[in-house]
Amino acid sequence: DDDLYDALLGWGCHDALVRGDVFVMTITGRSVEWRARTVQRSWFRWANSNSTNTNTNANANNERTARFFSEAYDPEFDTVELPEAKSGHAGAKKIQMILVWVLKNEMRPTGANDETTFKHKWFLLTDDDTYVRYPRLLRFLGHYDHRDPVYMGRCQFEIGRWDTALGGPGIILSAEAMRRLTRPFLDDKKPGNYGDMWVGVKTAAEGIRCTDESVFYDRAPAELTDDPSRIEHATSFHMSGREIPALFEDDVGRYADLAL
């Protein structure tokens, strides 16, 4: 039971999130169209549904809140094209280009002193071989305040260095974290090789530590059978991608309150 589980963790609901509060950035490539197709036909349906069960910001205009990003445009997925990005791995340049695109396209004017604010409260960066339990993600993030600078995921801690949220299971950034990281994301001319590590470096420089949460997994459910509760309450699984359809089929009934 999710309510009991959250109570045991000591969570109190801070914000009841709905579709449109989270903007999803999923990295894909020309050589793995089948993975993007699998994601599009499964958990992306939760994020991009035009159901009336939405909030009043992004989805009010039927705007998609989950997008694919690739080195080339693909009309099947309406990918955001990153022409300067290398094919394959999610290098720092590719991650930087994605985040810069978000900074330029997912903000709106406030009407006060020419200031802008984000259309969304939270931002999730993940891979096309990751399964995200989107309804569970909304519930999970509702226990945090997007007005705080939050950088979260399955973190690697290195003493004396920076903390890094692994890119596979998903990197979470709050709107406030994105606001503080605007200049660091925009101004870096040589972002380096590894995307998730680059994000960790930038957040550390701004004094934002990685919040390590055990609901993001860099493994498939079949590898977590020693503790079934971890599978039940997981928010994401990073795996081969072939397991996604079966997981989604099982979850559709469990999270029937969020219409497809």
Side-chain angles (χ1 to χ4, degrees):
D1 181 89
D2 282 347
D3 289 326
L4 176 59
Y5 183 75
D6 293 350
L8 290 173
L9 290 178
W11 286 349
C13 187
H14 176 84
D15 197 3
L17 299 183
V18 293
R19 214 184 328 252
D21 284 333
V22 181
F23 185 79
V24 179
M25 304 157 278
T26 297
I27 304 165
T28 190
R30 289 177 295 183
S31 62
V32 287
E33 288 93 347
W34 70 268
R35 296 204 307 220
R37 191 171 296 113
T38 299
V39 168
Q40 182 170 261
R41 293 175 178 176
S42 59
W43 65 269
F44 257 39
R45 293 173 60 195
W46 274 317
N48 283 331
S49 173
N50 292 332
S51 165
T52 55
N53 181 27
T54 61
N55 64 359
T56 57
N57 52 31
N59 272 73
N61 297 316
N62 289 338
E63 295 181 18
R64 284 168 299 159
T65 54
R67 299 293 304 268
F68 288 107
F69 293 79
S70 178
E71 71 278 4
Y73 176 72
D74 188 327
E76 180 180 358
F77 312 112
D78 193 23
T79 49
V80 176
E81 184 177 2
L82 309 173
E84 298 178 33
K86 294 181 180 179
S87 178
H89 72 285
K93 181 63 176 177
K94 182 180 286 188
I95 299 299
Q96 182 187 34
M97 292 174 70
I98 292 171
L99 294 171
V100 167
W101 184 92
V102 170
L103 290 170
K104 292 180 177 180
N105 291 276
E106 294 302 321
M107 301 186 76
R108 59 185 173 188
T110 62
N113 301 320
D114 295 324
E115 293 183 354
T116 58
T117 186
F118 288 106
K119 300 176 184 177
H120 316 280
K121 297 178 179 180
W122 296 94
F123 297 86
L124 167 65
L125 177 66
T126 191
D127 292 342
D128 59 4
D129 53 357
T130 299
Y131 176 64
V132 176
R133 278 184 169 139
Y134 187 82
R136 179 69 185 164
L137 177 69
L138 295 182
R139 183 184 181 89
F140 173 78
L141 291 178
H143 300 290
Y144 290 87
D145 191 340
H146 67 282
R147 294 166 294 189
D148 293 332
V150 179
Y151 164 53
M152 179 167 48
R154 175 50 59 93
C155 303
Q156 288 188 136
F157 297 101
E158 299 188 39
I159 298 176
R161 300 181 71 188
W162 55 85
D163 308 332
T164 300
L166 297 175
I171 298 173
I172 297 284
L173 291 166
S174 66
E176 175 59 18
M178 287 287 283
R179 186 190 68 79
R180 296 191 187 190
L181 291 162
T182 297
R183 291 310 333 164
F185 284 161
L186 291 173
D187 293 344
D188 195 342
K189 305 302 181 184
K190 295 181 179 180
N193 293 321
Y194 300 102
D196 48 8
M197 192 174 294
W198 176 77
V199 175
V201 170
K202 295 302 175 186
T203 55
E206 295 300 310
I208 305 172
R209 297 294 302 271
C210 185
T211 300
D212 187 38
E213 285 290 1
S214 59
V215 296
F216 301 95
Y217 288 101
D218 203 26
R219 292 181 288 169
E223 299 177 55
L224 302 171
T225 54
D226 57 312
D227 185 356
S229 67
R230 293 194 294 172
I231 301 174
E232 181 70 20
H233 301 291
T235 296
S236 69
F237 301 102
H238 182 222
M239 45 203 173
S240 72
R242 300 189 186 279
E243 308 92 334
I244 291 177
L247 290 171
F248 177 68
E249 185 176 349
D250 288 343
D251 281 345
V252 166
R254 177 180 294 120
Y255 299 107
D257 56 318
L258 188 66
L260 291 172

